[in-house]
Amino acid sequence: MKKVFVGVKLKRLREERGLTQIAFAEAIGLSASYLNQLEKNQRPLTVPVLLRINAAFGADMQLLSDGDEARMIADLKEVFSDPASGETVSLAEIREIAASMPAAGRAIVALHRRLRHVTERGDAMAHELGLGAAGLATVAPMPFEQVRDFFYRHHNYFAELDEAAEKLFAEAELVEGEVVESLARYLEQRHGVRIGVRKPEGEAPNRQANRDYNPNERVLRLSARLDQGQRAFQMATQLAFLEMGEPLNRLAREAALGSPATHALARIGLANYFAAALLMPYRAFLAAAEAVRYDIDRLAEQFGVGFETISHRLSSLQRPSAAGVPFFFIRVDRAGNISKRQSATDFHFSRVGGACPLWNVYEAFAQPGRTLTQVAQMTDGRTYLWIARAVRHSVGGYGEPDKTFAIGLGCDIRHAPRLVYSKGLDLDDPAAATPIGAGCKVCERPACPQRAFPMIGRPLVVNENRSTFLPYAAKPA
């Protein structure tokens, strides 16, 4: 394992506990001089020392993980590739910020995102008013963006909700893949809530509610068009609101930062998380996934839910004592809009300029119903295995609009042999990997024929007397 230096993080942990170096060192059974060397990055942090810290203070085991560091490096590269920064910051300096001053790095990223939001909205307003420039105002991220980042910060794992769902599954005597009747019985016996079927008259199908709970009547009405797995999920979501109110509110407050809209959206997202954890209890689901080598179709059959729900649940198996493959989950539409992205590890989803068109999630739209695989390599040399499939949600009826998405599930190539989807793939040949990037505006591949935008921060080479196959030729870095 590579040497890990976490001096600033360690000092911050000590200061948060209000301890001197001597007191902190005594608590973990080290000499004060050894701790001083750790804090000054003169010695690397070892696993035994980390375990002592965790035992004494319950410190996050992510101190040894480079996942957060890799994410921050990618985010800071976006920040400093923006010409508005006015500075050329080397990769070595960025790595130093991410490794030694993570709080400062997060602040820089947050300020840059706020600036970008303000600028984009100011430009839009100026266009509407016919002005050449717009005054800038302080604008916070949109509520859905705050919730998305909140789940991302937690690596898409909430131990309290996961463990409560697993306990409830046993108490309610639920059965994998056959939970509708037992959930209905539990809701009525425990909460006095009856289940009804909703068949609204005169309402457009695409406006019909999948779940409609009336707290006065204590009736939960579910749409007649839902299949068994969807009904179970909606019932489990409502159960989360009925039984998990306190933890939902507490976690939502952390996400909201004072925004009522963000708080409400976070509660829904967390309730959905609890529902998935109830239908697919952690230990049973992880054991099943390992047994079938993470075969999504076989898991869907066993647990009675769809491809997307299984994929989403696979991205949350990060219990410290029993972790599954660390996946990243993405849902994208035909236009390239990413409506869901959850990550248990360090794959970077760009917020600038969309995703890479060479990614197989886009090819899935052309082959509906098929599960596609791809070995892809990012610009930093990291290689991943990607699984993608198009899914369709329809309300039925001729001429009614439906929803079509591509679901992508990826993991680092070192985990690929554990997956059934690695069958027949050459995992050891670097030349077999498709070169992709985080997004055209920040991608560092100068020779990509699929580039849609010039790279931010790199001047173009424009020659009216010469035409090449590659678009947007840029000057060398």
Side-chain angles (χ1 to χ4, degrees):
M1 186 179 73
K2 72 175 185 179
K3 293 182 178 180
V4 178
F5 297 90
V6 290
V8 174
K9 294 180 182 178
L10 195 57
K11 185 177 181 180
R12 181 177 178 180
L13 176 67
R14 176 174 60 79
E15 291 177 346
E16 286 175 348
R17 267 61 175 184
L19 298 175
T20 64
Q21 279 191 340
I22 294 175
F24 191 92
E26 288 177 350
I28 59 176
L30 297 179
S31 67
S33 61
Y34 190 101
L35 177 62
N36 184 55
Q37 290 176 321
L38 287 173
E39 290 190 353
K40 291 182 177 180
N41 286 331
Q42 294 173 353
R43 283 179 178 265
L45 182 67
T46 63
V47 172
V49 172
L50 179 63
L51 292 175
R52 291 188 191 184
I53 296 171
N54 183 62
F57 300 102
D60 189 357
M61 297 296 283
Q62 293 294 324
L63 274 174
L64 259 186
S65 170
D66 64 350
D68 288 333
E69 182 177 325
R71 272 192 291 271
M72 185 175 295
I73 289 172
D75 284 338
L76 288 171
K77 285 173 66 178
E78 280 191 6
V79 171
F80 293 117
S81 64
D82 188 340
S85 69
E87 292 284 347
T88 300
V89 181
S90 70
L91 182 59
E93 292 174 297
I94 290 175
R95 290 186 185 278
E96 182 65 22
I97 294 173
S100 300
M101 296 171 282
R106 287 192 293 271
I108 292 170
V109 172
L111 288 170
H112 182 260
R113 289 177 186 168
R114 177 168 291 187
L115 172 63
R116 189 173 67 244
H117 280 289
V118 169
T119 303
E120 289 174 350
R121 295 181 188 188
D123 289 345
M125 184 176 293
H127 181 267
E128 288 291 325
L129 298 176
L131 303 176
L136 299 182
T138 300
V139 181
M142 297 291 286
F144 77 91
E145 294 171 321
Q146 289 181 310
V147 173
R148 181 185 294 172
D149 289 343
F150 169 69
F151 273 79
Y152 195 67
R153 289 196 304 272
H154 282 265
H155 302 285
N156 199 29
Y157 177 70
F158 298 90
E160 182 177 8
L161 299 181
D162 228 307
E163 292 167 6
E166 192 171 28
K167 181 180 178 182
L168 179 57
F169 185 93
E171 291 178 352
E173 299 181 346
L174 304 183
V175 179
E176 294 173 7
E178 302 175 5
V179 299
V180 172
E181 291 184 6
S182 47
L183 265 180
R185 184 171 57 252
Y186 182 86
L187 280 165
E188 185 166 10
Q189 293 176 351
R190 181 68 178 267
H191 298 282
V193 173
R194 293 178 292 108
I195 305 298
V197 177
R198 193 171 189 272
K199 295 181 179 179
E201 299 294 336
E203 189 176 7
N206 61 349
R207 292 183 179 274
Q208 296 175 9
N210 291 329
R211 173 175 53 87
D212 188 359
Y213 176 62
N214 187 318
N216 296 321
E217 298 178 2
R218 309 295 287 181
V219 174
L220 174 62
R221 294 182 175 86
L222 303 176
S223 172
R225 67 171 179 267
L226 299 181
D227 60 31
Q228 289 292 93
Q230 292 168 329
R231 290 187 184 188
F233 187 86
Q234 294 298 338
M235 293 163 69
T237 299
Q238 191 62 52
L239 186 56
F241 289 125
L242 293 170
E243 292 208 356
M244 302 297 293
E246 193 279 327
L248 292 184
N249 280 329
R250 177 165 28 82
L251 289 167
R253 282 195 299 270
E254 179 188 338
L257 300 177
S259 166
T262 304
H263 185 276
L265 286 176
R267 271 177 53 86
I268 294 172
L270 291 164
N272 288 339
Y273 180 97
F274 178 88
L278 180 60
L279 300 185
M280 296 163 278
Y282 194 100
R283 283 173 292 187
F285 185 75
L286 176 59
E290 292 282 355
V292 298
R293 295 184 61 198
Y294 293 85
D295 189 317
I296 298 173
D297 289 310
R298 293 181 65 180
L299 291 171
E301 182 178 0
Q302 178 174 343
F303 289 90
V305 293
F307 186 93
E308 180 177 344
T309 304
I310 292 291
S311 299
H312 203 292
R313 181 59 171 149
L314 286 173
S315 72
S316 65
L317 300 180
Q318 290 305 295
R319 183 174 291 181
S321 60
V325 170
F327 284 109
F328 12 82
F329 169 90
I330 186 170
R331 189 180 76 174
V332 62
D333 65 19
R334 292 180 183 272
N337 301 306
I338 298 175
S339 54
K340 286 184 180 180
R341 54 180 168 210
Q342 303 293 347
S343 180
T345 182
D346 55 5
F347 185 83
H348 177 62
F349 299 106
S350 176
R351 295 173 173 84
V352 180
C356 179
L358 299 179
W359 212 350
N360 71 336
V361 290
Y362 298 107
E363 187 181 350
F365 289 113
Q367 303 184 55
R370 288 192 59 194
T371 301
L372 308 181
T373 59
Q374 179 188 46
V375 176
Q377 187 178 72
M378 297 296 292
T379 55
D380 62 2
R382 297 191 182 199
T383 305
Y384 302 91
L385 173 62
W386 276 98
I387 306 147
R389 182 190 287 183
V391 297
R392 177 175 176 266
H393 306 284
S394 175
V395 295
Y398 178 75
E400 294 290 345
D402 58 16
K403 299 189 294 185
T404 303
F405 300 102
I407 303 300
L409 196 68
C411 68
D412 191 279
I413 198 67
R414 69 180 184 273
H415 301 293
R418 298 169 63 183
L419 276 59
V420 67
Y421 302 102
S422 65
K423 189 183 302 182
L425 299 178
D426 189 346
L427 304 178
D428 299 319
D429 182 6
T434 301
I436 68 172
C440 289
K441 290 184 178 180
V442 294
C443 181
E444 300 168 358
R445 300 189 189 278
C448 178
Q450 194 66 58
R451 179 177 287 280
F453 303 100
M455 182 179 171
I456 293 175
R458 295 274 291 277
L460 286 174
V461 175
V462 180
N463 186 344
E464 64 182 31
N465 298 315
R466 190 168 184 263
S467 175
T468 67
F469 180 64
L470 300 175
Y472 302 114
K475 291 183 179 179

